[in-house]
Amino acid sequence: MDDKTGGTASIWMTVEVPTYAPLRADTHADVCIVGAGIAGLTTAYLLAREGKSVVVLDDGPIGSGMTARTTAHLSCAIDDRYYEIERLHGQKGAHLAADSHCSAIDRIEAIAKEEGIECDFERVDGYLFTPPGEPKEELDRELKAAHRAGLTDVEKVERAPIEFYTGMALRFPRQGQFHPTKYVAGLARAVERRGGRIFTGSHAASITGGSRARVETSDGRLVTADAIVVATNTPVTNLVSMHTKQAPYTTYVIAATVPAGAVHKALYWDTPDPYHYVRLQTMRSADGSAKDLLIVGGEDHKTGQAENYQERHQRLEAWARERFPIGDVEFRWSGQVMEPVDGIAFLGRNPGLDKNMYIVTGDSGMGMTHGTIGGMLITDQIMGRESPWEPLYDPSRKSLRVSGILEFVGENVNVAGQYLSEYVTGGDVGSPDEIAPGEGAVIGLGVTKMAVYKDEQGNLYKRSALCAHLGCVVKWNSLEKSWDCPCHGSRYDRFGEVITGPANRGLAPVKE
Ligand code: FES
């Protein structure tokens, strides 16, 4: 499949997904969904099942955003820990979080079965372990909090069932794993079978809620709708309100061969910060042969705020080689995670006056379940049903308690620091001569900053280096060959065209 997000390719990009034409005529639907990843297509599928007419728009192929860059752990073991969720959202909130993630795994399993989607869905156990040297009491704290959240079958075990000594671990039974692009391909076909319409190569340039809700594409086509769902990983409709409540992090993944049967099939997470996450995936070739690949992720950092991107993969490989019998590394990629300040995604009605605009964002590293919860919750809201999950995930919630507020302040001080430091510095290089072929750099011209990419033939592509969202200076990402914004995570391809919001247009052209 094509990829719209970067210079690396994930293990999930080796499969073909259905292709769709761009929107070529104005149309109307009950619901217009912007974004054809797991969140958008789950929402479209569930609404189509309820008899709603749906139109899905995406500027890239289906599933080509972060859905193709996940590691597809399906888990109700929350990355931010149940004791943290309980502290920030109360015991009831933790209970709802557990219930919603478990329900999302059940729903994915049910959809795959009912729609005959062959997406390698499997139930596996998950193990959270503390490596030697890490505080052991974290597991006990988390075990008690998970039990209070209703996950009474979580248990403490002597070690995770892998070769190296992990130390004590928590076992979360009946988690899951699947192949995300096979799944969204099946979802798209199921949407079509129920009369839904999907258009790709159609960039939603303007999105307006309210009584005259409409989405206009960059080539001037119009979708009018009774409701709009913005499922673009981070919303392209909010200029400010959501982007001060979540922070973008880049995470790194490798997939390496392992001998069949050498690693017990399960999900594994350790407890350092940033942590490692591990699972197995069997890849089958057209000739029927199969091989196991160990998928290992970690090395997270704030987007646009790191150097030496390639070293992240080297460190992951070294970590994995010390612990697992891995052979060749066949895939290396990165992805972006949106971290909400209080550990819970933002799913439901968009803040503001327009009650018929909905968003799915703040995946918190659990995008497959959070995207599915978003589809389930928003379907209930559009159908006029009450959902017990609504207050927990409400994008307008006021539940940021003391520590959540500190996190909130910390992330926004970090953003303010990006503005200050980048505006007063001169740029990465002084002239294009200093840029290697195939690379990019920011050049300072007084107070102006220019993002310059030099292709392999030496041709230069120049754009303003000021992010089209709120004007932070973008950074060159040498791994993905992209321009990344350190403030709220907008990303642009090497030529300056937008890949990921909150910006909804490319870097501005420069006049010389
Ligand atoms: Fe907000 Fe760039 S993403 S300023």
Side-chain angles (χ1 to χ4, degrees):
M1 67 181 287
D2 290 335
D3 169 42
K4 68 177 181 183
T5 61
T8 62
S10 81
I11 187 173
W12 319 119
M13 294 175 187
T14 56
V15 301
E16 292 297 322
V17 297
T19 56
Y20 298 94
L23 180 67
R24 295 212 170 90
D26 296 353
T27 190
H28 177 83
D30 293 333
V31 185
C32 179
I33 294 144
V34 182
I38 190 166
L41 287 171
T42 301
T43 311
Y45 169 76
L46 295 175
L47 285 167
R49 275 183 73 130
E50 303 264 7
K52 293 285 186 191
S53 66
V54 295
V55 161
V56 182
L57 301 176
D58 200 312
D59 49 6
I62 65 163
S64 62
M66 287 309 129
T67 299
R69 292 181 166 271
T70 175
T71 54
H73 288 226
L74 299 175
S75 170
C76 53
I78 288 186
D79 284 14
D80 290 307
R81 307 282 177 265
Y82 278 102
Y83 59 77
E84 268 302 292
I85 300 300
E86 189 179 90
R87 188 173 64 80
L88 294 165
H89 300 276
Q91 195 172 326
K92 186 173 176 205
H95 212 284
L96 290 169
D99 176 57
S100 55
H101 283 280
C102 293
S103 299
I105 304 172
D106 293 345
R107 183 60 67 97
I108 291 169
E109 182 176 33
I111 292 172
K113 192 169 171 199
E114 282 170 36
E115 300 296 339
I117 302 173
E118 291 184 6
C119 59
D120 309 334
F121 179 92
E122 283 181 78
R123 289 283 182 176
V124 289
D125 288 343
Y127 291 89
L128 174 70
F129 64 90
T130 47
E134 286 291 308
K136 302 293 173 205
E137 53 278 11
E138 180 168 0
L139 290 187
D140 290 324
R141 231 177 132 195
E142 181 62 354
L143 179 66
K144 287 179 189 148
H147 285 174
R148 286 193 298 272
L151 299 176
T152 51
D153 50 2
V154 176
E155 61 175 358
K156 194 167 164 190
V157 293
E158 286 298 318
R159 56 181 294 168
I162 33 184
E163 192 84 343
F164 68 92
Y165 182 63
T166 59
M168 302 288 276
L170 296 188
R171 185 177 76 89
F172 289 78
R174 281 183 62 73
Q175 309 296 288
Q177 63 176 41
F178 72 162
H179 189 302
T181 50
K182 287 183 182 175
Y183 180 69
V184 292
L187 268 183
R189 294 187 185 102
V191 167
E192 280 189 290
R193 283 196 294 275
R194 285 168 171 74
R197 291 170 289 159
I198 301 170
F199 301 96
T200 58
S202 293
H203 177 70
S206 152
I207 302 170
T208 311
S211 56
R212 296 160 65 89
R214 52 197 275 149
V215 178
E216 197 169 345
T217 65
S218 49
D219 49 6
R221 302 298 175 199
L222 188 67
V223 183
T224 53
D226 300 333
I228 297 172
V229 180
V230 180
T232 50
N233 187 256
T234 187
V236 292
T237 39
N238 294 78
L239 197 57
V240 177
S241 63
M242 294 314 302
H243 308 299
T244 55
K245 297 183 202 167
Q246 58 182 1
Y249 283 78
T250 302
T251 188
Y252 296 81
V253 188
I254 61 169
T257 54
V258 281
V263 179
H264 179 79
K265 191 175 278 182
L267 309 180
Y268 302 100
W269 316 279
D270 64 11
T271 53
D273 182 19
Y275 70 101
H276 298 92
Y277 45 101
V278 179
R279 58 161 283 201
L280 273 176
Q281 175 71 26
T282 302
M283 275 189 87
R284 290 178 207 290
S285 305
D287 64 6
S289 63
K291 63 182 168 188
D292 282 351
L293 291 171
L294 191 73
I295 300 173
V296 181
E299 290 287 333
D300 302 16
H301 63 77
K302 198 104 188 265
T303 292
Q305 299 186 24
E307 308 292 338
N308 306 325
Y309 292 91
Q310 284 81 353
E311 282 179 17
R312 307 266 164 179
H313 282 142
Q314 289 163 10
R315 284 202 289 270
L316 271 185
E317 181 178 341
W319 182 89
R321 236 173 245 296
E322 252 179 54
R323 292 164 176 80
F324 297 95
I326 61 170
D328 293 339
V329 177
E330 298 205 350
F331 297 89
R332 294 177 178 85
W333 73 94
S334 72
Q336 183 160 280
V337 170
M338 301 307 297
E339 287 292 351
V341 292
D342 61 357
I344 292 287
F346 302 104
L347 315 172
R349 285 194 182 82
N350 191 40
L353 297 176
D354 297 333
K355 298 297 173 213
N356 58 349
M357 180 98 87
Y358 301 82
I359 57 172
V360 180
T361 191
D363 59 83
S364 191
M366 304 181 71
M368 297 298 100
T369 45
H370 266 144
T372 304
I373 297 165
M376 295 163 74
L377 172 51
I378 290 170
T379 297
D380 279 345
Q381 290 176 318
I382 288 176
M383 297 308 296
R385 292 191 294 259
E386 270 195 20
S387 166
W389 306 336
E390 186 171 329
L392 179 69
Y393 290 106
D394 184 359
S396 302
R397 64 181 175 261
K398 301 277 187 289
S399 63
L400 297 170
R401 296 186 184 185
V402 176
S403 166
I405 290 168
L406 289 177
E407 279 283 313
F408 175 85
V409 170
E411 290 294 0
N412 288 298
V413 166
N414 175 293
V415 168
Q418 293 303 312
Y419 277 103
L420 284 175
S421 68
E422 292 305 324
Y423 275 101
V424 297
T425 54
D428 305 328
V429 296
S431 95
D433 297 344
E434 298 172 56
I435 303 173
E439 296 294 337
V442 171
I443 297 180
L445 303 166
V447 289
T448 307
K449 300 272 188 287
M450 196 160 61
V452 181
Y453 168 66
K454 183 186 280 184
D455 71 14
E456 297 294 344
Q457 289 70 43
N459 300 309
L460 298 177
Y461 301 85
K462 300 175 183 174
R463 293 284 186 105
S464 165
L466 303 188
C467 177
H469 177 224
L470 292 174
C472 271
V473 177
V474 295
K475 289 273 179 64
W476 176 247
N477 177 336
S478 58
L479 177 70
E480 299 294 0
K481 307 297 179 197
S482 62
W483 299 102
D484 298 353
C485 181
C487 286
H488 315 105
S490 290
R491 296 184 57 232
Y492 306 84
D493 71 13
R494 63 197 76 185
F495 306 112
E497 298 304 326
V498 70
I499 300 170
T500 312
N504 199 24
R505 61 178 194 277
L507 296 171
V510 287
K511 293 195 192 93
E512 289 186 83

